[in-house]
Amino acid sequence: INEGSELEPIFQKAKVRAEFQKQSPDGRYLYFAANNVDPSSFAISRYDMKEKKVELIFSEKGQWGVDDINSDGTLLLNNQKNNFSNEYFIFNPETKTKEPLLGQGETEVRYDAVWTPDGKNFLVVTDKFGDFMRLYFYRNGKYFKNNQWEPITPDNKVEVKGMSINKDRNLLSLQLNDQGYFKVAYYNPKTLKEIKPPTFPKKGEQ
């Protein structure tokens, strides 16, 4: 049996809580959030796998996390303001510049966002336009004249409870709540078309 290598500590401090966030697309950096600067807030640090060192890259008041990393290394930061609202910012860890994206000045609006495969726009789950969380394609105003929202999932009272995109960014998975029944749906993040899973014959059928 291959027992693997020994565990390598990355970050550990007494009375400090740390949570893994994301790994950079090139595999060099491990990003994590920790309350090592302010016990009531989570700052963002990264561990350099090559240099074997930790770097604090972002520290502001709030409950911060890294929800996605673009191919150019920019981060999609999520600040959870309360149980009913959050906000997103685009952050460049090299220049330390932060741009507002979603949720600024809003209350009781929830967002869950990732970059589209081209790294220019966003796939966003939100209840901004109704009582249920739905998936939208969000055109970033940086590349278009106006910010635009295009609904992807139907308005059928089925709530999107979670979203994830795979490493190759060619499969988007949605966790759905259909009137108390939990289901999974798959979408092509490039075409925004639903991918129907294969069907198998029931027991006794040919």
Side-chain angles (χ1 to χ4, degrees), residues 16-195:
V16 170
R17 179 181 172 187
E19 297 179 356
F20 171 75
Q21 299 294 298
K22 297 287 182 181
Q23 184 172 11
S24 61
D26 61 7
R28 178 170 178 174
Y29 298 106
L30 297 178
Y31 288 87
F32 63 92
N35 61 341
N36 55 316
V37 178
D38 179 352
S40 64
S41 297
F42 276 84
I44 304 299
S45 298
R46 67 182 180 186
Y47 176 72
D48 190 326
M49 301 280 286
K50 181 179 179 180
E51 301 294 335
K52 305 295 183 183
K53 64 179 183 180
V54 171
E55 176 190 7
L56 176 67
I57 62 169
F58 179 84
S59 178
E60 290 186 8
K61 192 77 173 177
Q63 306 301 307
W64 295 91
V66 180
D67 275 17
D68 202 8
I69 304 177
N70 208 346
S71 58
D72 63 0
T74 53
L75 309 181
L76 188 58
L77 295 185
N78 179 14
N79 180 29
Q80 193 69 39
K81 295 186 287 187
N82 52 53
N83 291 334
F84 307 103
S85 63
N86 63 311
E87 56 185 353
Y88 276 100
F89 295 85
I90 299 173
F91 178 73
N92 187 319
E94 308 306 327
T95 63
K96 303 297 189 291
T97 55
K98 185 182 70 170
E99 303 175 26
L101 179 68
L102 295 167
Q104 286 72 38
E106 294 183 302
T107 59
E108 297 188 5
V109 178
R110 296 171 293 167
Y111 294 99
D112 186 6
V114 295
W115 262 291
T116 50
D118 62 7
K120 295 182 178 180
N121 302 293
F122 299 90
L123 298 169
V124 182
V125 173
T126 181
D127 56 2
K128 180 180 178 69
F129 306 103
D131 296 329
F132 293 88
M133 299 283 283
R134 293 178 63 190
L135 173 65
Y136 295 83
F137 177 74
Y138 179 64
R139 292 178 174 84
N140 189 0
K142 182 177 180 180
Y143 300 98
F144 294 86
K145 185 176 180 180
N146 297 304
N147 296 336
Q148 298 177 349
W149 293 88
E150 178 184 341
I152 305 302
T153 52
D155 185 14
N156 58 359
K157 297 184 179 181
V158 175
E159 186 157 45
V160 181
K161 300 295 291 184
M163 170 180 64
S164 61
I165 192 167
N166 67 343
K167 183 178 179 181
D168 294 331
R169 310 191 85 82
N170 58 13
L171 182 66
L172 185 74
S173 303
L174 302 180
Q175 295 79 49
L176 309 176
N177 182 351
D178 184 359
Q179 301 181 55
Y181 293 92
F182 288 91
K183 303 177 180 178
V184 178
Y186 301 98
Y187 282 78
N188 184 321
K190 294 182 179 180
T191 65
L192 305 179
K193 300 296 184 182
E194 186 174 2
I195 301 173

